[in-house]
Amino acid sequence: MLHQGSCHCGQIAFEVEGDFTEGLDCNCSLCRRRGGLLAFVPADAFRLKTPENALSTYRFNTRVLQHHFCANCGIAPFSDGQNGEGAATKAINLRCLPDMDLDALKITKWDGAHH
Ligand SMILES: [Zn+2]
């Protein structure tokens, strides 16, 4: 299923293909502060609809992951990273998909603090 996603003000908008039934609630030092509910998709399941230069990017720790956010409204809709095989992967904040029924998601605790 194709979902539309965005930050709050709309400077960042995207669409992502996926049948999301589960959201990861991560306890790393970033996620515990900003909230969010993550799902990982291959990069080719994702299409950015707004200009690349609307993305502000935060890196920490190993600096491998690129946590994108909107400098205007402060919302962080997705991050760029790699899976265990080195393939480009997006971490989608499912809270930024307005059509997503968040209450229907199975919430899985993800121990990002120790990964
Ligand atoms: Zn915004």
Side-chain angles (χ1 to χ4, degrees):
M1 180 174 174
L2 190 64
H3 297 274
Q4 304 298 317
S6 66
C7 67
H8 191 255
C9 74
Q11 280 187 11
I12 300 171
F14 58 90
E15 54 190 22
V16 59
E17 179 72 39
D19 295 315
F20 302 112
T21 56
E22 183 176 333
L24 297 180
D25 181 9
C26 176
N27 67 354
C28 83
S29 58
L30 178 62
C31 289
R32 62 177 290 150
R33 287 172 170 80
R34 71 168 181 193
L37 212 45
L38 301 178
F40 296 100
V41 299
D44 61 7
F46 177 97
R47 189 173 73 83
L48 187 64
K49 296 162 68 178
T50 46
E52 197 91 33
N53 63 13
L55 301 175
S56 294
T57 300
Y58 179 62
R59 296 178 180 83
F60 71 107
N61 194 15
T62 61
R63 307 180 72 82
V64 173
L65 301 176
Q66 302 172 56
H67 302 285
H68 302 302
F69 65 96
C70 174
N72 187 46
C73 68
I75 301 299
F78 68 97
S79 301
D80 275 307
Q82 294 182 349
N83 68 9
E85 285 80 52
T89 299
K90 304 273 183 187
I92 309 298
N93 181 358
L94 295 178
R95 294 189 187 278
C96 292
L97 310 180
D99 68 352
M100 178 67 53
D101 179 1
L102 298 174
D103 292 332
L105 293 171
K106 175 174 177 279
I107 306 301
T108 302
K109 298 286 184 188
W110 174 253
D111 189 15
H114 298 102
H115 276 80

